[in-house]
mmCIF file of all heavy atoms in Angstrom:
data_model
loop_
_atom_site.group_PDB
_atom_site.id
_atom_site.type_symbol
_atom_site.label_atom_id
_atom_site.label_comp_id
_atom_site.label_asym_id
_atom_site.label_seq_id
_atom_site.Cartn_x
_atom_site.Cartn_y
_atom_site.Cartn_z
ATOM 1 N N LYS A 351 -19.960 52.486 -5.817
ATOM 2 C CA LYS A 351 -20.321 53.710 -6.557
ATOM 3 C C LYS A 351 -21.557 53.454 -7.454
ATOM 4 O O LYS A 351 -22.431 54.261 -7.590
ATOM 5 C CB LYS A 351 -19.185 54.144 -7.447
ATOM 6 C CG LYS A 351 -18.044 54.798 -6.623
ATOM 7 C CD LYS A 351 -16.909 55.201 -7.556
ATOM 8 C CE LYS A 351 -15.824 55.952 -6.845
ATOM 9 N NZ LYS A 351 -14.674 56.360 -7.705
ATOM 10 N N LEU A 354 -24.634 53.344 -5.177
ATOM 11 C CA LEU A 354 -24.879 54.686 -4.631
ATOM 12 C C LEU A 354 -25.502 55.632 -5.681
ATOM 13 O O LEU A 354 -26.328 56.481 -5.354
ATOM 14 C CB LEU A 354 -23.615 55.326 -4.103
ATOM 15 C CG LEU A 354 -23.075 54.761 -2.752
ATOM 16 C CD1 LEU A 354 -21.671 55.236 -2.525
ATOM 17 C CD2 LEU A 354 -23.994 55.239 -1.596
ATOM 18 N N SER A 355 -25.151 55.420 -6.953
ATOM 19 C CA SER A 355 -25.573 56.314 -7.973
ATOM 20 C C SER A 355 -26.805 55.859 -8.699
ATOM 21 O O SER A 355 -27.469 56.601 -9.448
ATOM 22 C CB SER A 355 -24.459 56.574 -9.022
ATOM 23 O OG SER A 355 -24.024 55.330 -9.590
ATOM 24 N N VAL A 361 -26.987 53.706 2.948
ATOM 25 C CA VAL A 361 -25.556 53.335 3.037
ATOM 26 C C VAL A 361 -25.411 52.043 3.785
ATOM 27 O O VAL A 361 -24.610 51.193 3.458
ATOM 28 C CB VAL A 361 -24.759 54.494 3.695
ATOM 29 C CG1 VAL A 361 -23.305 54.012 4.017
ATOM 30 C CG2 VAL A 361 -24.734 55.724 2.808
ATOM 31 N N PHE A 376 -17.478 50.157 6.120
ATOM 32 C CA PHE A 376 -17.661 50.476 4.739
ATOM 33 C C PHE A 376 -17.408 51.934 4.421
ATOM 34 O O PHE A 376 -16.678 52.320 3.543
ATOM 35 C CB PHE A 376 -19.031 50.078 4.239
ATOM 36 C CG PHE A 376 -19.457 50.650 2.981
ATOM 37 C CD1 PHE A 376 -18.817 50.265 1.747
ATOM 38 C CD2 PHE A 376 -20.420 51.559 2.853
ATOM 39 C CE1 PHE A 376 -19.217 50.801 0.568
ATOM 40 C CE2 PHE A 376 -20.808 52.177 1.659
ATOM 41 C CZ PHE A 376 -20.167 51.785 0.487
ATOM 42 N N SER A 377 -17.986 52.834 5.258
ATOM 43 C CA SER A 377 -17.871 54.267 5.039
ATOM 44 C C SER A 377 -16.416 54.679 5.149
ATOM 45 O O SER A 377 -15.896 55.579 4.444
ATOM 46 C CB SER A 377 -18.734 54.993 6.011
ATOM 47 O OG SER A 377 -20.097 54.718 5.799
ATOM 48 N N PHE A 380 -14.509 53.541 2.068
ATOM 49 C CA PHE A 380 -14.950 54.378 0.931
ATOM 50 C C PHE A 380 -14.230 55.746 0.986
ATOM 51 O O PHE A 380 -13.776 56.254 -0.052
ATOM 52 C CB PHE A 380 -16.485 54.511 0.933
ATOM 53 C CG PHE A 380 -17.020 55.095 -0.373
ATOM 54 C CD1 PHE A 380 -17.419 54.205 -1.382
ATOM 55 C CD2 PHE A 380 -17.096 56.381 -0.528
ATOM 56 C CE1 PHE A 380 -17.884 54.732 -2.598
ATOM 57 C CE2 PHE A 380 -17.628 56.983 -1.772
ATOM 58 C CZ PHE A 380 -18.026 56.122 -2.790
ATOM 59 N N LYS A 381 -14.224 56.364 2.179
ATOM 60 C CA LYS A 381 -13.600 57.648 2.320
ATOM 61 C C LYS A 381 -12.139 57.616 2.026
ATOM 62 O O LYS A 381 -11.515 58.525 1.421
ATOM 63 C CB LYS A 381 -13.900 58.153 3.744
ATOM 64 C CG LYS A 381 -13.240 59.560 4.052
ATOM 65 C CD LYS A 381 -13.964 60.646 3.256
ATOM 66 C CE LYS A 381 -13.385 62.063 3.585
ATOM 67 N NZ LYS A 381 -13.714 62.523 4.962
ATOM 68 N N THR A 382 -11.492 56.538 2.490
ATOM 69 C CA THR A 382 -10.080 56.387 2.271
ATOM 70 C C THR A 382 -9.743 56.274 0.787
ATOM 71 O O THR A 382 -8.733 56.881 0.384
ATOM 72 C CB THR A 382 -9.549 55.123 2.981
ATOM 73 O OG1 THR A 382 -9.816 55.287 4.416
ATOM 74 C CG2 THR A 382 -8.065 54.899 2.806
ATOM 75 N N THR A 384 -11.716 57.237 -1.871
ATOM 76 C CA THR A 384 -12.282 58.259 -2.780
ATOM 77 C C THR A 384 -12.177 59.648 -2.289
ATOM 78 O O THR A 384 -12.536 60.605 -3.027
ATOM 79 C CB THR A 384 -13.788 57.907 -3.062
ATOM 80 O OG1 THR A 384 -14.529 58.104 -1.808
ATOM 81 C CG2 THR A 384 -13.986 56.496 -3.532
ATOM 82 N N ASN A 385 -11.787 59.832 -1.018
ATOM 83 C CA ASN A 385 -11.770 61.174 -0.411
ATOM 84 C C ASN A 385 -13.160 61.802 -0.220
ATOM 85 O O ASN A 385 -13.294 63.005 -0.081
ATOM 86 C CB ASN A 385 -10.922 62.146 -1.184
ATOM 87 C CG ASN A 385 -9.402 61.747 -1.049
ATOM 88 O OD1 ASN A 385 -8.927 61.304 -0.027
ATOM 89 N ND2 ASN A 385 -8.700 61.847 -2.172
ATOM 90 N N GLN A 386 -14.188 60.925 -0.298
ATOM 91 C CA GLN A 386 -15.586 61.317 -0.102
ATOM 92 C C GLN A 386 -16.266 60.269 0.762
ATOM 93 O O GLN A 386 -15.925 59.112 0.698
ATOM 94 C CB GLN A 386 -16.374 61.412 -1.395
ATOM 95 C CG GLN A 386 -15.909 62.589 -2.302
ATOM 96 C CD GLN A 386 -16.802 62.524 -3.572
ATOM 97 O OE1 GLN A 386 -16.776 61.560 -4.336
ATOM 98 N NE2 GLN A 386 -17.522 63.625 -3.834
ATOM 99 N N THR A 387 -17.257 60.756 1.555
ATOM 100 C CA THR A 387 -18.069 59.694 2.287
ATOM 101 C C THR A 387 -19.056 59.190 1.224
ATOM 102 O O THR A 387 -19.332 59.852 0.161
ATOM 103 C CB THR A 387 -18.841 60.440 3.408
ATOM 104 O OG1 THR A 387 -19.828 61.336 2.870
ATOM 105 C CG2 THR A 387 -17.914 61.083 4.376
ATOM 106 N N PRO A 388 -19.692 58.053 1.492
ATOM 107 C CA PRO A 388 -20.676 57.555 0.569
ATOM 108 C C PRO A 388 -21.857 58.558 0.288
ATOM 109 O O PRO A 388 -22.255 58.642 -0.865
ATOM 110 C CB PRO A 388 -21.186 56.255 1.278
ATOM 111 C CG PRO A 388 -20.099 55.872 2.163
ATOM 112 C CD PRO A 388 -19.440 57.107 2.620
ATOM 113 N N LEU A 389 -22.256 59.279 1.313
ATOM 114 C CA LEU A 389 -23.360 60.305 1.085
ATOM 115 C C LEU A 389 -22.874 61.437 0.253
ATOM 116 O O LEU A 389 -23.637 61.956 -0.584
ATOM 117 C CB LEU A 389 -23.844 60.751 2.442
ATOM 118 C CG LEU A 389 -24.719 59.761 3.260
ATOM 119 C CD1 LEU A 389 -25.121 60.373 4.590
ATOM 120 C CD2 LEU A 389 -25.989 59.338 2.441
ATOM 121 N N GLU A 390 -21.653 61.867 0.408
ATOM 122 C CA GLU A 390 -21.103 62.983 -0.358
ATOM 123 C C GLU A 390 -20.990 62.536 -1.796
ATOM 124 O O GLU A 390 -21.279 63.307 -2.751
ATOM 125 C CB GLU A 390 -19.711 63.416 0.143
ATOM 126 C CG GLU A 390 -19.745 64.158 1.447
ATOM 127 C CD GLU A 390 -18.412 64.362 2.110
ATOM 128 O OE1 GLU A 390 -17.446 63.670 1.628
ATOM 129 O OE2 GLU A 390 -18.250 65.231 2.964
ATOM 130 N N PHE A 391 -20.622 61.286 -2.078
ATOM 131 C CA PHE A 391 -20.527 60.783 -3.424
ATOM 132 C C PHE A 391 -21.930 60.704 -4.052
ATOM 133 O O PHE A 391 -22.104 61.176 -5.196
ATOM 134 C CB PHE A 391 -19.885 59.383 -3.467
ATOM 135 C CG PHE A 391 -19.887 58.734 -4.842
ATOM 136 C CD1 PHE A 391 -18.855 59.074 -5.721
ATOM 137 C CD2 PHE A 391 -20.866 57.885 -5.210
ATOM 138 C CE1 PHE A 391 -18.842 58.552 -6.988
ATOM 139 C CE2 PHE A 391 -20.895 57.334 -6.509
ATOM 140 C CZ PHE A 391 -19.846 57.636 -7.391
ATOM 141 N N ARG A 392 -22.919 60.272 -3.326
ATOM 142 C CA ARG A 392 -24.293 60.156 -3.819
ATOM 143 C C ARG A 392 -24.870 61.572 -4.067
ATOM 144 O O ARG A 392 -25.479 61.775 -5.162
ATOM 145 C CB ARG A 392 -25.202 59.464 -2.779
ATOM 146 C CG ARG A 392 -26.663 59.496 -3.109
ATOM 147 C CD ARG A 392 -27.468 58.636 -2.206
ATOM 148 N NE ARG A 392 -27.450 57.273 -2.716
ATOM 149 C CZ ARG A 392 -27.994 56.221 -2.052
ATOM 150 N NH1 ARG A 392 -28.437 56.394 -0.860
ATOM 151 N NH2 ARG A 392 -27.988 55.005 -2.613
ATOM 152 N N GLN A 393 -24.575 62.482 -3.244
ATOM 153 C CA GLN A 393 -25.054 63.882 -3.454
ATOM 154 C C GLN A 393 -24.469 64.508 -4.736
ATOM 155 O O GLN A 393 -25.071 65.351 -5.352
ATOM 156 C CB GLN A 393 -24.807 64.677 -2.224
ATOM 157 C CG GLN A 393 -25.627 64.344 -0.946
ATOM 158 C CD GLN A 393 -25.130 64.989 0.295
ATOM 159 O OE1 GLN A 393 -24.155 65.677 0.298
ATOM 160 N NE2 GLN A 393 -25.850 64.661 1.413
ATOM 161 N N SER A 394 -23.248 64.073 -5.071
ATOM 162 C CA SER A 394 -22.644 64.662 -6.253
ATOM 163 C C SER A 394 -23.345 64.259 -7.510
ATOM 164 O O SER A 394 -23.167 64.881 -8.599
ATOM 165 C CB SER A 394 -21.193 64.256 -6.276
ATOM 166 O OG SER A 394 -21.040 62.873 -6.578
ATOM 167 N N PHE A 395 -24.170 63.240 -7.434
ATOM 168 C CA PHE A 395 -24.957 62.772 -8.622
ATOM 169 C C PHE A 395 -26.348 63.371 -8.653
ATOM 170 O O PHE A 395 -27.103 63.172 -9.598
ATOM 171 C CB PHE A 395 -25.039 61.243 -8.644
ATOM 172 C CG PHE A 395 -23.824 60.556 -9.192
ATOM 173 C CD1 PHE A 395 -22.691 60.285 -8.408
ATOM 174 C CD2 PHE A 395 -23.792 60.234 -10.571
ATOM 175 C CE1 PHE A 395 -21.633 59.743 -8.951
ATOM 176 C CE2 PHE A 395 -22.702 59.693 -11.106
ATOM 177 C CZ PHE A 395 -21.551 59.385 -10.277
ATOM 178 N N ASN A 396 -26.774 64.104 -7.602
ATOM 179 C CA ASN A 396 -28.136 64.664 -7.525
ATOM 180 C C ASN A 396 -28.082 66.118 -7.802
ATOM 181 O O ASN A 396 -27.240 66.846 -7.275
ATOM 182 C CB ASN A 396 -28.762 64.382 -6.084
ATOM 183 C CG ASN A 396 -28.871 62.868 -5.880
ATOM 184 O OD1 ASN A 396 -29.116 62.154 -6.810
ATOM 185 N ND2 ASN A 396 -28.754 62.474 -4.622
#
Side-chain angles (χ1 to χ4, degrees):
K351 286 180 176 179
L354 286 165
S355 59
V361 171
F376 164 66
S377 296
F380 193 93
K381 179 70 180 289
T382 300
T384 68
N385 292 320
Q386 291 180 299
T387 66
L389 286 179
E390 287 171 344
F391 176 82
R392 170 170 277 173
Q393 289 168 0
S394 69
F395 277 85
N396 296 328

